Amino acid sequence: MATYSVDPGSPGEAYLAFWRERHLCTLTTIRPDGSPHVVPVGVTYDPGARLARIITNGASAKVSHVRAAGSGGARVAVCQVDGRRWATLEGRAYVRTERERVAEAERRYAERYGRIPSPNPSRVVIEIELERALGRG
């Protein structure tokens, strides 16, 4: 059986290039009843910091699910697919509200997706501390 494991802190160039392309992703969080909640999101990947970042409204369900997990973080996965290429990042998610963290996530989003996010005073960033990466970029 083929393995598709990638070091999230030191991915190969093809994998990293795939994460630089403009792709819509999905975020999977877990609801309080244990069922998965999968939603489309924009994701940025920072292997040097071993982080993935998602900007979102602080009142969203995904933020609620992450916060409900408590101080140990929520186990989550983000994924993108393009034909036979795919990539998944897994780890523990935390909601960050610090202005500098949100601004950094907005900057990275603008860089990857080619547009500056609309102003949103309720914006937060979900930071995923990466534990695993899989895929075929």
Side-chain angles (χ1 to χ4, degrees):
M1 182 171 163
T3 61
Y4 298 104
S5 184
V6 175
D7 178 351
S10 183
E13 186 50 43
Y15 192 82
L16 189 54
F18 185 39
W19 277 102
R20 288 183 184 130
E21 296 172 11
R22 187 183 193 283
H23 293 286
L24 190 60
C25 303
T26 59
L27 168 67
T28 303
T29 59
I30 303 301
R31 293 182 183 103
D33 70 2
S35 63
H37 176 74
V38 184
V39 294
V41 292
V43 176
T44 61
Y45 175 33
D46 180 357
R50 293 182 72 99
L51 286 176
R53 294 176 179 92
I54 299 160
I55 57 173
T56 188
N57 191 300
S60 69
K62 58 189 158 288
V63 166
S64 175
H65 299 155
V66 171
R67 284 185 169 144
S71 63
R75 297 197 55 130
V76 302
V78 291
C79 183
Q80 66 181 20
V81 177
D82 183 28
R84 295 178 61 92
R85 298 183 306 156
W86 61 276
T88 300
L89 301 171
E90 300 176 11
R92 299 243 175 220
Y94 301 87
V95 177
R96 307 294 189 199
T97 59
E98 300 90 338
R99 186 66 230 146
E100 65 279 358
R101 288 181 121 134
V102 174
E104 177 64 8
E106 290 170 333
R107 183 191 69 75
R108 289 174 178 275
Y109 178 94
E111 184 178 282
R112 181 175 189 198
Y113 291 98
R115 69 176 193 82
I116 296 171
S118 302
N120 179 350
S122 300
R123 180 169 290 132
V124 299
V125 59
I126 296 174
E127 289 184 348
I128 305 167
E129 295 179 0
L130 300 175
E131 299 170 349
R132 183 179 310 163
L134 305 165
R136 194 164 89 183

